[in-house]
Each structure stands twice: as structure tokens, then as C-alpha cells.
Amino acid sequence: ERMRRGLAKTHDALWGRLDAVLGRAERIDAAVLEELEEILITADFGVKTTTALMTALQQRARSAELTAEAVRAVLREEILALLRAEVAPLELSASQPFVLLVVGVNGVGKTTTIGKLAQQFKKQGRSVLLGAGDTFRAAAAEQLAIWGERCEVPVIRHSEGADPAAVAFDAAKAAVARKVDLLIVDTAGRLHTKVNLMEEMKKIHRVLGREIAGAPHETLLVLDASTGQNALVQARLFQQAVGVGGIVLTKLDGTAKGGVAVAIAAELGLPVRYIGIGEGIDDLRPFDAEMFVDALFA
Ligand code: GDP
């Protein structure tokens, strides 16, 4: 139910328009399919995903007459298949401590997501430590400290402008000494130049890996769904620059661009691990393809 409300805007934008087109069409011909294609593009499914969906519809049209119900069924099936291929929950048991590096540009909801994750894992009985590696903005470390207090999770932080790798180093050492289950390291999301970002990330990787074997075990990229195709562009950049293991897609509740979740999974082959559907602690949900598609097609 919460998921359905979170995706209401995408649902309405998509189905309001699809139903209008399908409802008034006497038969579903090439012109109608073209309109459908445009609606999918507008809902931020991306060119590649939309093309795949259209191909599936055309294939179905060849074997039987396309009805409105058939269009719905084909879209649902195809979108589910695209998403399902990319579902994978985080496996914290892979290492102790498990080190999660969180990247993303300013404003996407990175700090909030880290706070929500800390709270959720804490609730599950895991011990958590946070590393305030976004030393570029004083507010970032401050905000993380507030989340830390709220969910009783310690935060390793340095002063503003400190070396993020030094924070990562201290956080890794503390995580080992305190035998925590999960270390989440925040980073500054500056995409000003890809080279700088890469250099900074390489250093953080080196430091973490020296203290904890295999760390970071996962790099999560936080993206703001309301930026639509721009989120896809950011994902490509980060994927090239730092290597990304999974996606958190935030602010799905405020946008009609929810189709971007499908574009990210299908075009980048990256699992969407969590989605943000509100500002509350429980509004970060493990991504569930079935539930997502149900909410979209409800
Ligand atoms: P950061 O700069 O990436 O660290 O972004 P913040 O964590 O400070 O978040 C920016 C704003 O987005 C804050 O007002 C958050 O409450 C809000 N926010 C984060 N995630 C979500 C979400 O899933 N839904 C909504 N509606 N707001 C969110």
C-alpha cells in the first residue's frame, strides 16, 4: 500500500495516458503503437527499454490481434522480466565488517539514505558504524552525526576539508577494533571532473582494502528518480569512474519519472537495491520487482 502511494505519480502519468490512448483506439495499429512509444519515453523508461517494449508488442501483434488488455499484459510481463534480472539484496554476511561505500552527487538523498540504512540494519540487530567521508560540505558530516545520534550509531568524522581517505582509514580501523557488522562510508559527490573523482575513490578504496580484506564490498550509487534521464547519465558516469555495485533510487514518491528504475536496470545492468518513497525512516525499501510492477500497474 505504501509502495502504491509512493509510485502513484508514475502510475497516474503512465496509465492515465496509456488508458486514454487505448480506450479511444478502435484497433491498435501502428499509429497507436507510436503514441504508446512516446508515452513510455515521457515516463522515463529510456530509449533502449522503450524500444525493447515496443518490439515485444509488435511481436505479439504478429501472432494475434492486439487488444488493450494484451498491451497491458505484454508491458507488465516485459517490464517485470527486465527488472527481475537485476534484483539482488545486499549480503552483509560476505564479510565482517562489511564495508559499504556510498556515492552520489549532492542533493540526491545520500545522507538521508545512509541514515535510513543505519537505522534499518540496527533494528535488525546489526552493529553499524558510519564514516563521514563527505568532508567537502560541513553540513554533510553534521547531518550524518544527527542521524548517528538518532539511531545510536557511532560516527567517525573529521573537520571540514579533511582528506576523505583519512576519514575512511579511521573509520575502517574503528570498525575492526569495535568488531561491527557494517561500516557505511559516505563520500563527497563531486563530479566536477571524472579524474578527480576517480583519484579520490582510488585512494579511499586503497585505504579501506588495506584495513579490511576485500573492502569496499559494495559501492552503492544514490540517484534521484525525479531527475529522470539525468539519473541515467549520472549512473553511467559513476559506473565508468568508480565502479558501481548497486543503486538506491530516491524520491520516487514525488515524481512521475519512475520508469527510470527500469531504464537503470535494463540499460546499465545494475541492480536497484533500495528505493526511497518518502522522507521517513521506513520509506527506504528493499527493491522488489514484483511489488514495483504491481504498484505501477495497479
Ligand atoms: P544529499 O545531499 O545527497 O546528502 O541529500 P540529503 O540526504 O540531504 O537529502 C536531500 C533532501 O531529499 C532532503 O530534504 C531529504 O529529506 C529528501 N529525500 C531523501 N530521500 C527522499 C525520498 O525518498 N523521498 C522524498 N520525498 N524525499 C527524500
Side-chain angles (χ1 to χ4, degrees):
E1 170 54 30
R2 198 57 200 81
M3 181 79 93
R4 209 161 56 76
R5 263 190 288 139
L7 284 170
K9 283 197 180 162
T10 300
H11 169 270
D12 295 351
L14 186 61
W15 289 113
R17 295 185 62 202
L18 281 179
D19 283 341
V21 170
L22 293 174
R24 82 174 125 77
E26 273 170 32
R27 45 184 292 274
I28 293 164
D29 54 16
V32 173
L33 286 181
E34 219 167 280
E35 277 189 80
L36 295 183
E37 184 169 17
E38 201 225 301
I39 293 170
L40 291 171
I41 291 281
T42 318
D44 276 275
F45 282 89
V47 174
K48 208 168 152 191
T49 308
T50 301
T51 307
L53 295 175
M54 294 317 293
T55 305
L57 284 174
Q58 276 147 4
Q59 247 160 24
R60 179 70 61 98
R62 249 175 261 133
S63 56
E65 202 193 332
L66 264 189
T67 59
E69 293 82 89
V71 170
R72 283 182 85 99
V74 169
L75 289 180
R76 189 181 192 290
E77 253 167 53
E78 294 295 319
I79 290 172
L80 187 58
L82 287 172
L83 288 173
R84 248 210 214 112
E86 300 300 341
V87 173
L90 272 184
E91 281 299 342
L92 291 200
S93 51
S95 166
Q96 209 253 350
F98 187 92
V99 180
L100 190 60
L101 192 63
V102 183
V103 300
V105 304
N106 287 340
V108 292
K110 191 159 51 77
T111 314
T112 308
T113 297
I114 292 173
K116 289 171 173 174
L117 283 173
Q119 172 89 346
Q120 290 186 10
F121 282 114
K122 191 87 199 290
K123 265 194 188 162
Q124 288 167 21
R126 309 275 194 158
S127 52
V128 182
L129 180 75
L130 302 180
D134 184 351
T135 56
F136 188 64
R137 293 179 304 144
E142 193 52 45
Q143 218 185 321
L144 211 60
I146 292 169
W147 275 104
E149 264 171 41
R150 196 180 297 166
C151 48
E152 290 172 22
V153 162
V155 180
I156 302 295
R157 60 186 284 202
H158 289 188
S159 51
E160 188 184 352
D163 182 357
V167 178
F169 176 76
D170 281 354
K173 269 205 163 333
V176 172
R178 300 179 197 188
K179 297 189 170 65
V180 301
D181 298 317
L182 173 65
L183 166 63
I184 308 179
V185 180
D186 190 12
T187 61
R190 288 178 302 149
L191 260 183
H192 54 317
T193 76
K194 206 156 98 181
V195 176
N196 281 7
L197 180 72
M198 280 168 85
E199 287 309 317
E200 191 166 302
M201 284 297 162
K202 260 193 237 152
K203 206 167 156 196
I204 292 174
H205 273 246
R206 210 158 49 225
V207 163
L208 290 173
R210 210 160 49 206
E211 296 306 309
I212 300 165
H217 305 97
E218 164 93 3
T219 299
L220 265 189
L221 171 63
V222 183
L223 297 170
D224 176 347
S226 70
T227 63
Q229 293 305 292
N230 194 27
L232 206 58
V233 173
Q234 279 172 25
R236 279 211 187 85
L237 276 169
F238 273 98
Q239 202 178 20
Q240 289 163 6
V242 305
V244 172
I247 301 287
V248 179
L249 196 58
T250 63
K251 308 189 198 181
L252 271 166
D253 50 306
T255 181
K257 299 173 189 284
V260 73
V262 186
I264 287 166
E267 294 194 21
L268 302 177
L270 284 173
V272 180
R273 300 213 196 267
Y274 294 93
I275 57 175
I277 51 172
E279 296 189 274
I281 279 181
D282 293 324
D283 293 333
L284 184 77
R285 300 290 173 88
F287 183 69
D288 180 322
E290 209 103 16
M291 230 187 258
F292 184 88
V293 172
D294 280 346
L296 215 54
F297 284 76

